[in-house]
Amino acid sequence: MVPLPTDDQLASYYHAYSQDNQIDFSQRAGSRYPNLRKLFHWVSGDVDPRDFVEVPSGARVLDYGCGHAGYLSDFHHRGVAISGAEIAAYTVEACRKHGYDVKKVEDFSHIPFPSGEFDIVYLMQVFEHLRDPHGFFQELSRILRNGGMLYLAMPNAASIWRKVFGCNWVSGWFAPFHLFHYTRDAMKKLANQYGFDLLLAWSRTPESWFRLNLKAALYSKEFRLDWHRNWLDAASMRYLLMFLLRVIESPFREKDCLVLQFRKR
């Protein structure tokens, strides 16, 4: 984004865009039946840290940008020593009332936890929102212990769907919220500067992202695509898109959502 919005501007954008401040801490089917959840996510393309973040016994975990705390809540109920960090005050307050260790992010250049606190940190669809990726990697290096694991999920700037949808690739561009766009090679070089080695990288396209791009292409004057419900949101259409996506994009290496696993040296 040029020029980059300030932190205050970003906060106002998020406040204006969001329409959902209800937090549900109940254990849903995905928590009770993890194998079925993984199977469904394989079909739907959803990227869920519960499916691939391995947590050894006794490990300390941080969910940075924990949102409505669905992942954090599930890990917590499984006995994982997990903390969260979030910008939304209502989320922080609700989580604390439920006994979760969640701290409010007051400054995007500082992670509000002590140095060497965590064995595992994950950020799901957060890194592309940060104004200072270099400074943030310094913070990640600070709070992670040597040998600790870092998981990142973000839009993939090399995705085949970026080429297909062009200016309607909303799942990636998502202006003015997504400030930078990354490929696996760019992230590998960036992380290496701060003591992280890339262990694993893969990508997939969530059906919900693909549907968002279709909406952008079909409804060019609609500026709240997440909240614009139409025939594309019908269950029958969603399941059809899920299966079509798995078939159509199978020959391509670069899909919409990029997932990276790093180890801190």
Side-chain angles (χ1 to χ4, degrees), residues 249-261:
E249 69 175 14
S250 59
F252 301 101
R253 179 182 186 229
E254 302 294 352
K255 305 174 180 71
D256 252 16
C257 184
L258 177 63
V259 181
L260 305 151
Q261 179 184 1

Side-chain angles (χ1 to χ4, degrees), residues 40 43-46 204-214 232-235 237-243 245-246:
F40 178 76
V43 176
S44 69
D46 290 336
R204 65 172 59 158
T205 301
E207 172 273 332
S208 58
W209 290 26
F210 186 80
R211 192 158 27 92
L212 194 68
N213 296 330
L214 282 178
L232 285 168
D233 301 298
M237 180 58 64
R238 294 187 63 180
Y239 288 122
L240 176 61
L241 288 174
M242 287 180 193
F243 288 104
L245 265 176
R246 300 291 77 80

